[in-house]
Amino acid sequence: MGTRLRDMIRSIRACKTAADERAVVAKECATLRNAFKDNDQDFRHRNVAKLMFIHMLGYPTHFGQMECIKLIAAGSFPEKRIGYLGLMLLLDERQEVLMLVTNSLKNDLNHSNQFIVGLALCALGNICTAEMARDLAPEVEKLLHNNNSYIRKKAALCSLRIVRKVPELIDYVMVPATALLTDKHHGVLISGVKLCTELCEGSEVALQHFRKHVISLIRVLKNLVVSGYAPEYDVNGITDPFLQIRLLRLLSLLGKGDSETSDNMSDILAQVATNTEGSKNAGNAILYECVKTIMSIEAIGGLRVLAINILGRFLANRDNNIRYVALNTLVKVVSIDTQAVQRHRSTIVECVKDSDISIRRRALELICALVNVSNVKPLTKELMDYLKVSDPEFKGDLTAKISSLVQKFSPNKQWYIDQMILLMVEAGKYVTPDVTRALVVVISNASELQGYTVRALYRVFQAWDGQESLGQVTVWCIGEYGEMLIDNLNEVEGEEPLTVTESDAVDVVETVLKDIRVSPDTVAFSLTALLKLSSRFSHCADRLKGLILEYKGSVVLELQQRAIEFGSILSKHTNIKTALLERMPVLDEATYYSAKQVEVGVDANQTAKSGPHSNGHAKQPNGVAKHLAPETALIDLLSFLPDEQPSAPHQSSDDALLGSLGANVVTSSVPPLSGGADMLLELLSLGTPAAPPLASQESPLPASSQSSLRSSLLDADPFAVPKGSVVSHVMSDQTHNGPASNADPFANLAPLSKPTAAKNPAFPLLVAMQTSGLKITFEFTKQANSPQTTIIKATHTNLSSSPYSDYLFQAAVPKFMQLQLEPASSNILPANGGAVITQVIKATNNMHGQKAMVMKLRVSFKADGQNNLEQAQVNNFPVGL
Amino acid sequence: MNCSVTGKTPIIIGWRIHFVLLISRQGKVRLTKWYSPYSQKERTKVIRELSGMILSRGPKLCNFIEWRGLKVVYKRYASLYFCMCVDTEDNELETLEIIHHYVEILDRYFGNVCELDLIFNFHKAYYILDEVLIAGELQESSKKSVARVIAAQDTLIDNAKEQANSLSNMIAQATK
């Protein structure tokens, strides 16, 4: 029979350790399980109560769920009361067991005792599922008309839950809900107004319907505002703030977008705004709601001023809660009336420095909404000052906001560069790569400030403390504009003179290079900077080369690759070095920003990012990187060729591509990273070491001649050709033939690509596989409505003199594609092309427009009693599949 | 039933209380009430996460925490933190007022309520909460009226107990 509830709680509380508690609970649970098993009826309600306590301590109690249902089904009020409580506490709406109570609920909703009806309504309101809502909606609707206010208010909230679960029922409760608005009982009014609000949010019809009743709502609110002391509903001298707030909220919905309704309510809103006393929380809650309502309806100017003044008062309040809601609301008001909010700017700035993170966040958001070109300087200064002292957890947010403000509103480039440098010094580790990239683009465009920038960076770098972003930008600038650092070129007015030697500049790069805190990306930046400096700093040539070669054995393959390639440029290719290491061409801002905004796969930035690292390989460990590195480097080098301004402005391996794109974009406005790199990856991902050399694959984009050049060169098996010679080959190709000769990307690939058959008007017929004894051709058709899907008709022809039997054709595609093979027309292929087998293949390219199709084929058959197996890879699908 | 128009407009989830938590200063849970679906696992996680955040906040800070796209409004009464999680659009000041409303009703019912009352009579705290909130919405703004219905229900229980006692006495006497 067990102990009393009180005794159990006492014994659990007496436990000194968690293990003791677990033991007591385990013992209790065992007793409870036995009691449940024995179907002990007398103590069932006590046992469920115990279980609830155990549940609250966080122990599993699912074994008691059925007991709750039994209690509910029992007849007496005490049992039902604990049963419903257990139901709401131990179960949630996703448990199937709930289905079992639907019938009990239905009975109880029709019970003669108001409290039992109340229990059922409460349970239904708290945990009903969509199915229960549908089943019991008629019962609840009936109770909305009940003449007992206790039942009406519960039925109203229960209906609210029902329409949340089943929105179709909105129309069904609309009329009974309207009747609740004229109820005299406050509980019913509160619930009814809330129900109507919910209906208006869910349905335009309901909204129109309740607009007709706005006058009666206003009357109720007016009575509350002007009524004298009402002891039952009084909160700090205000009559029923809860009801007032709910009325205001419904009014805001009704007035929104409807000027006539808004006009009707403006008097009462003004009355609430002026008459409500704001010394206590309840009054402020009403004022706050009133402001929200005024801001959301089509209010006249005067009312708005009143509302903003209330917020101004809130802002000056000493209570943090009030200040919080003021900031929260001002953020929404800013777009309506910036001027009014500007007046409180200094107070808001103070709030950014508040000790409370909730307030700081709100204030920061508000500040950002307030900044414009005219006040960006003082506000940024304030924020920067605060950045120095703010908590580490807040610095991330703050840095992101400052950088976006500075980027957006900077009055001139020098100020922008100054602020960014300052930001990187203060919070370098929170500055994201996007921000540094944007900075580099700006520096590259500001030719008159490059000298100034590199010197400023050199100065602040003296106190460098491992900030990644600062390191990257400094190293990049020294690599590009190192000579300006030494010669003090392009001095800006008021700049302090600086004496820097070549070796000082190299020291900076070396510091970054050797710092253990920086990432491989930054080291890669540094290596490139060293390479670039080698053509500018003749005195340090040996030191530079030495530093680069130290990374020859780096475990990071990207770095190793760079070190070896750069080393060979320095030692073997001095004739091209100067040209190759010239300053990076100006990065086109317009292209950079427009590219940044377009998020589609066609955009340059995206392509740059996804370039060699797409397909999810980027995140993989070095095993894959090993394959990637050659292409990356190759693209880096090759990409400089198109405009004959070879330079090596790598930021990181993927930034390098941005760089390369920047270079490309100068000559062609099309962001043209062709499928070259991707294609190679496809090949790699297919993992066929013996794969035939790829035929050139035009990217789905309108590829420019340069990109075709790039892809065609890549296709010429980069692994087989020594890097240096590729470079020189490319160089000579470029210099001797000029760009014009590269217009035909297929020219130098003729021997590699398979002969293609007569052209089909839509897509050319493709010879997918040809051996001495077998030929497979592909014919393509596309359905107009689905560009991703291609219907391929494969025709198999036997070219040999012996017939093939057990002919089986198989195909495989990479992950981004899907393949469906229809049954073949036959599995016997007569000799000498006497008849053909046809088979339809349905291929879906999920990356249509981004990646070209690739397919691996395997054919097995029996010829002259011998098993034969042929394999091939098809990479030369026509463009646009 | 006509459901032509309602199908078109998306339902915006209105303002409401998602859950109510009572946590002691030691981080012990004294009451939990969930009005939005959270699985048992999520519930444990939410409680742990929030009690960490709330208990570590200083006394002078505001009573609101922005959390997972929602807002948690909390207030400390002696050794207990009363927390309600609401939508960001909700009126935080009013939520504080609802918390206070509930606390006052508890206080009247128990007569100077303390944490121990709520431990040993946790089910009563739930009964009272169910008379204040349904579906995460306030149902009664009059403390008196809540007190009245709770008292009436307690009387019902007492009567039932008495009846059962006298019944068992009669049975005991009859079988003597």
Side-chain angles (χ1 to χ4, degrees):
Chain A
M1 116 167 209
T3 50
R4 294 195 309 162
L5 171 64
R6 187 165 280 268
D7 296 332
M8 184 196 80
I9 296 176
R10 216 168 263 145
S11 60
I12 288 176
R13 280 175 55 76
C15 293
K16 292 246 164 16
T17 64
D20 283 352
E21 186 188 287
R22 273 196 298 275
V24 172
V25 170
K27 207 169 137 221
E28 252 336 306
C29 283
T31 328
L32 289 177
R33 275 174 200 267
N34 280 333
F36 294 155
K37 207 163 64 193
D38 300 343
N39 217 358
D40 177 354
Q41 288 184 9
D42 297 344
F43 294 101
R44 186 177 280 148
H45 65 286
R46 193 175 77 187
N47 289 340
V48 170
K50 281 184 181 176
L51 204 61
M52 283 190 270
F53 189 83
I54 290 171
H55 176 86
M56 217 156 45
L57 296 175
Y59 296 92
T61 50
H62 49 273
F63 59 88
Q65 291 173 351
M66 279 312 288
E67 298 304 304
C68 301
I69 292 167
K70 286 180 195 162
L71 279 173
I72 292 168
S76 75
F77 178 72
E79 282 168 303
K80 278 189 192 292
R81 197 185 195 195
I82 204 98
Y84 276 117
L85 185 58
L87 185 78
M88 290 185 279
L89 205 60
L90 304 181
L91 276 76
D92 68 60
E93 61 187 80
R94 277 161 302 191
Q95 265 136 343
E96 307 250 313
V97 195
L98 264 192
M99 292 293 297
L100 300 173
V101 291
T102 311
N103 207 38
S104 303
L105 277 168
K106 195 168 190 165
N107 292 336
D108 288 347
L109 287 174
N110 292 315
H111 205 278
S112 56
N113 184 332
Q114 59 161 344
F115 294 118
I116 289 181
V117 181
L119 284 177
L121 283 171
C122 181
L124 196 59
N126 286 347
I127 57 165
C128 96
T129 63
E131 270 165 72
M132 288 162 87
R134 281 202 187 85
D135 289 346
L136 298 171
E139 256 71 28
V140 177
E141 198 264 345
K142 234 184 290 163
L143 294 175
L144 283 174
H145 309 287
N146 197 295
N147 49 22
N148 184 339
S149 62
Y150 179 75
I151 290 174
R152 275 204 309 277
K153 70 179 181 193
K154 284 186 196 279
L157 291 179
C158 197
S159 306
L160 189 146
R161 167 91 182 195
I162 287 172
V163 298
R164 269 179 196 161
K165 288 283 158 195
V166 190
E168 301 94 276
L169 294 173
I170 285 182
D171 300 359
Y172 189 61
V173 291
M174 208 157 75
V175 176
T178 318
L180 300 176
L181 295 180
T182 48
D183 211 288
K184 291 280 171 287
H185 188 275
H186 280 222
V188 181
L189 266 174
I190 281 186
S191 315
V193 169
K194 181 66 212 198
L195 173 61
C196 295
T197 312
E198 191 84 11
L199 298 180
C200 288
E201 280 189 332
S203 139
E204 188 62 31
V205 172
L207 189 63
Q208 296 296 347
H209 171 80
F210 287 111
R211 277 206 180 119
K212 286 180 236 147
H213 298 269
V214 72
I215 301 293
S216 72
L217 291 170
I218 291 170
R219 198 179 308 128
V220 176
L221 185 55
K222 197 165 223 153
N223 285 340
L224 288 174
V225 176
V226 299
S227 80
Y229 178 68
E232 186 146 2
Y233 302 105
D234 184 78
V235 179
N236 298 326
I238 290 160
T239 308
D240 208 341
F242 304 108
L243 180 54
Q244 290 197 37
I245 286 168
R246 273 161 190 70
L247 284 165
L248 285 168
R249 207 172 280 169
L250 180 54
L251 288 179
S252 87
L253 271 183
L254 298 178
K256 194 174 187 176
D258 186 306
S259 46
E260 198 192 324
T261 317
S262 300
D263 276 354
N264 285 339
M265 63 181 78
S266 55
D267 276 355
I268 183 69
L269 292 179
Q271 207 170 347
V272 173
T274 44
N275 290 2
T276 309
E277 206 239 334
S279 63
K280 292 275 170 45
N281 184 55
N284 284 327
I286 294 177
L287 286 174
Y288 175 40
E289 196 63 46
C290 189
V291 169
K292 288 213 253 183
T293 305
I294 290 172
M295 287 305 166
S296 79
I297 66 168
E298 314 301 309
I300 44 166
L303 211 50
R304 289 243 155 97
V305 173
L306 196 60
I308 291 177
N309 285 344
I310 291 176
L311 291 179
R313 273 207 317 270
F314 276 11
L315 209 51
N317 202 305
R318 265 185 317 188
D319 184 346
N320 270 340
N321 290 340
I322 309 288
R323 278 201 293 159
Y324 174 88
V325 299
L327 291 169
N328 199 11
T329 321
L330 283 171
V331 173
K332 289 165 203 148
V333 174
V334 158
S335 57
I336 304 168
D337 191 349
T338 323
Q339 237 18 65
V341 186
Q342 288 286 8
R343 258 180 280 148
H344 304 290
R345 212 175 65 205
S346 55
T347 323
I348 299 165
V349 171
E350 282 312 302
C351 292
V352 176
K353 303 169 189 172
D354 199 275
S355 59
D356 189 339
I357 183 132
S358 297
I359 290 193
R360 283 202 303 263
R361 287 235 168 87
R362 286 289 126 224
L364 188 59
E365 200 166 301
L366 186 52
I367 287 281
C368 294
L370 279 182
V371 170
N372 57 34
V373 185
S374 63
N375 61 18
V376 65
K377 280 190 177 179
L379 280 178
T380 310
K381 189 172 178 314
E382 286 277 358
L383 294 177
M384 285 286 196
D385 287 346
Y386 177 57
L387 184 63
K388 291 177 193 159
V389 293
S390 65
D391 325 336
E393 54 180 311
F394 194 51
K395 276 191 176 160
D397 284 357
L398 199 56
T399 309
K401 294 282 191 211
I402 295 178
S403 57
S404 79
L405 290 181
V406 168
Q407 224 163 320
K408 208 159 144 199
F409 296 107
S410 66
N412 59 57
K413 283 184 173 172
Q414 189 179 346
W415 185 81
Y416 168 76
I417 292 169
D418 282 345
Q419 297 304 313
M420 289 311 295
I421 293 176
L422 208 57
L423 189 63
M424 290 190 298
V425 171
E426 290 303 336
K429 71 171 167 172
Y430 303 102
V431 175
T432 58
D434 273 354
V435 174
T436 45
R437 212 169 292 155
L439 175 62
V440 164
V441 172
V442 170
I443 296 173
S444 146
N445 276 282
S447 55
E448 69 292 347
L449 289 172
Q450 285 160 353
Y452 168 78
T453 309
V454 69
R455 286 188 294 275
L457 282 166
Y458 180 82
R459 263 187 223 110
V460 298
F461 188 83
Q462 302 310 314
W464 187 63
D465 190 27
Q467 300 100 319
E468 192 102 35
S469 53
L470 182 63
Q472 288 184 352
V473 177
T474 310
V475 161
W476 188 85
C477 286
I478 290 179
E480 290 296 316
Y481 317 114
E483 70 279 12
M484 299 189 184
L485 180 62
I486 313 297
D487 309 339
N488 280 324
L489 288 176
N490 292 342
E491 268 196 69
V492 175
E493 228 180 84
E495 204 186 324
E496 280 174 48
L498 193 70
T499 325
V500 185
T501 64
E502 288 184 3
S503 93
D504 289 342
V506 178
D507 281 346
V508 168
V509 183
E510 189 178 351
T511 314
V512 177
L513 191 68
K514 300 265 172 79
D515 197 290
I516 49 162
R517 287 169 293 187
V518 303
S519 67
D521 281 357
T522 311
V523 177
F525 266 68
S526 311
L527 286 176
T528 312
L530 291 173
L531 177 69
K532 291 206 133 190
L533 287 179
S534 68
S535 70
R536 283 160 226 185
F537 291 178
S538 47
H539 301 300
C540 299
D542 287 338
R543 185 177 163 203
L544 291 168
K545 194 173 169 187
L547 282 172
I548 290 175
L549 290 181
E550 275 178 39
Y551 283 80
K552 217 163 53 171
S554 168
V555 287
V556 182
L557 284 148
E558 168 67 29
L559 300 180
Q560 190 188 60
Q561 182 80 33
R562 283 193 190 211
I564 292 170
E565 284 173 8
F566 294 170
S568 92
I569 289 172
L570 290 179
S571 50
K572 294 186 199 142
H573 301 281
T574 38
N575 54 333
I576 59 161
K577 196 180 83 176
T578 334
L580 193 65
L581 301 183
E582 256 178 38
R583 188 169 298 152
M584 187 157 168
V586 173
L587 299 164
D588 189 24
E589 268 174 298
T591 318
Y592 172 74
Y593 287 116
S594 66
K596 228 177 117 182
Q597 275 149 16
V598 188
E599 289 290 345
V600 207
V602 235
D603 101 55
N605 201 10
Q606 182 86 16
T607 322
K609 275 189 198 152
S610 64
H613 289 286
S614 58
N615 313 333
H617 286 245
K619 302 276 184 291
Q620 288 179 16
N622 285 335
V624 177
K626 189 177 173 181
H627 296 293
L628 295 182
E631 296 107 64
T632 318
L634 210 61
I635 290 176
D636 288 352
L637 292 170
L638 293 170
S639 58
F640 309 125
L641 297 175
D643 35 74
E644 296 217 303
Q645 282 200 304
S647 52
H650 314 265
Q651 304 194 358
S652 69
S653 50
D654 54 339
D655 292 13
L657 275 164
L658 169 71
S660 69
L661 272 172
N664 255 325
V665 170
V666 179
T667 45
S668 73
S669 56
V670 196
L673 191 70
S674 88
D678 285 29
M679 275 306 300
L680 214 58
L681 270 180
E682 279 333 312
L683 174 63
L684 288 168
S685 66
L686 280 167
T688 338
L694 292 178
S696 174
Q697 192 74 55
E698 287 264 6
S699 100
L701 310 170
S704 72
S705 60
Q706 289 90 346
S707 65
S708 311
L709 165 70
R710 198 148 18 107
S711 60
S712 61
L713 280 164
L714 275 172
D715 294 340
D717 195 359
F719 300 106
V721 189
K723 289 287 154 349
S725 65
V726 169
V727 174
S728 55
H729 163 68
V730 170
M731 284 307 290
S732 59
D733 192 30
Q734 184 69 26
T735 39
H736 297 156
N737 302 340
S741 70
N742 295 317
D744 178 11
F746 295 96
N748 46 359
L749 285 160
L752 296 175
S753 55
K754 309 272 180 196
T756 46
K759 295 217 169 178
N760 178 304
F763 293 104
L765 193 70
L766 179 80
V767 179
M769 181 170 171
Q770 184 157 23
T771 62
S772 54
L774 183 67
K775 182 178 167 188
I776 302 175
T777 56
F778 281 175
E779 203 180 325
F780 305 101
T781 43
K782 250 191 171 8
Q783 279 160 350
N785 51 356
S786 61
Q788 297 192 331
T789 314
T790 311
I791 310 288
I792 306 170
K793 188 178 159 204
T795 311
H796 307 256
T797 319
N798 183 352
L799 303 177
S800 74
S801 51
S802 45
Y804 298 160
S805 60
D806 292 340
Y807 187 88
L808 179 68
F809 168 74
Q810 291 169 303
V813 288
K815 277 194 184 122
F816 65 87
M817 288 176 64
Q818 271 148 18
L819 198 64
Q820 205 181 326
L821 287 180
E822 309 279 10
S825 59
S826 159
N827 66 347
I828 295 165
L829 203 54
N832 297 326
V836 294
I837 295 180
T838 55
Q839 186 165 16
V840 174
I841 307 168
K842 203 167 151 196
T844 310
N845 183 357
N846 292 328
M847 311 252 316
H848 178 75
Q850 298 168 46
K851 283 193 188 175
M853 289 199 339
V854 194
M855 200 181 283
K856 231 173 121 176
L857 311 179
R858 197 166 101 150
V859 178
S860 61
F861 52 86
K862 260 191 185 150
D864 301 325
Q866 281 203 320
N867 284 327
N868 283 296
L869 191 68
E870 299 277 5
Q871 291 193 30
Q873 181 158 339
V874 190
N875 305 298
N876 49 346
F877 283 99
V879 180
L881 287 183
Chain B
M1 212 175 297
N2 175 14
C3 54
S4 53
V5 179
T6 51
K8 276 184 230 158
T9 39
I11 285 283
I12 311 157
I13 303 302
W15 310 288
R16 66 174 130 172
I17 297 166
H18 292 275
F19 54 82
V20 178
L21 289 182
L22 255 71
I23 306 170
S24 78
R25 218 169 38 167
Q26 285 79 33
K28 292 253 193 237
V29 181
R30 295 301 177 212
L31 180 144
T32 58
K33 188 89 186 174
W34 307 85
Y35 297 105
S36 296
Y38 288 85
S39 70
Q40 293 298 343
K41 224 183 207 167
E42 286 166 335
R43 291 179 184 186
T44 328
K45 218 176 137 212
V46 166
I47 293 171
R48 200 178 315 126
E49 206 174 298
L50 280 180
S51 46
M53 283 166 83
I54 291 169
L55 298 179
S56 61
R57 276 173 74 86
K60 289 254 173 70
L61 307 183
C62 73
N63 296 58
F64 319 127
I65 300 178
E66 288 163 30
W67 171 82
R68 294 202 203 166
L70 299 169
K71 235 167 234 174
V72 177
V73 178
Y74 71 94
K75 189 154 180 163
R76 184 176 160 181
Y77 289 88
S79 58
L80 274 183
Y81 286 86
F82 287 70
C83 322
M84 289 187 180
C85 176
V86 295
D87 287 296
T88 41
E89 294 301 303
D90 212 331
N91 187 330
E92 302 89 343
L93 299 179
E94 195 221 1
T95 311
L96 272 179
E97 214 48 53
I98 294 180
I99 292 178
H100 190 69
H101 184 62
Y102 177 49
V103 174
E104 279 197 314
I105 296 171
L106 286 176
D107 197 57
R108 279 188 203 184
Y109 181 79
F110 288 104
N112 220 348
V113 67
C114 68
E115 196 184 336
L116 274 183
D117 291 327
L118 299 185
I119 295 171
F120 285 102
N121 297 296
F122 70 94
H123 49 296
K124 302 231 166 115
Y126 278 106
Y127 293 144
I128 294 174
L129 187 63
D130 282 342
E131 291 297 337
V132 175
L133 300 175
I134 286 185
E137 303 292 347
L138 186 76
Q139 58 167 316
E140 185 54 72
S141 54
S142 156
K143 301 175 194 60
K144 220 185 214 166
S145 128
V146 174
R148 260 197 312 263
V149 292
I150 289 287
Q153 293 179 63
D154 284 351
T155 322
L156 264 180
I157 302 267
D158 290 342
N159 290 346
K161 259 190 202 156
E162 243 165 61
Q163 237 171 18
N165 280 343
S166 61
L167 206 67
S168 60
N169 280 347
M170 273 158 68
I171 294 169
Q173 272 172 1
T175 52
K176 209 181 262 177

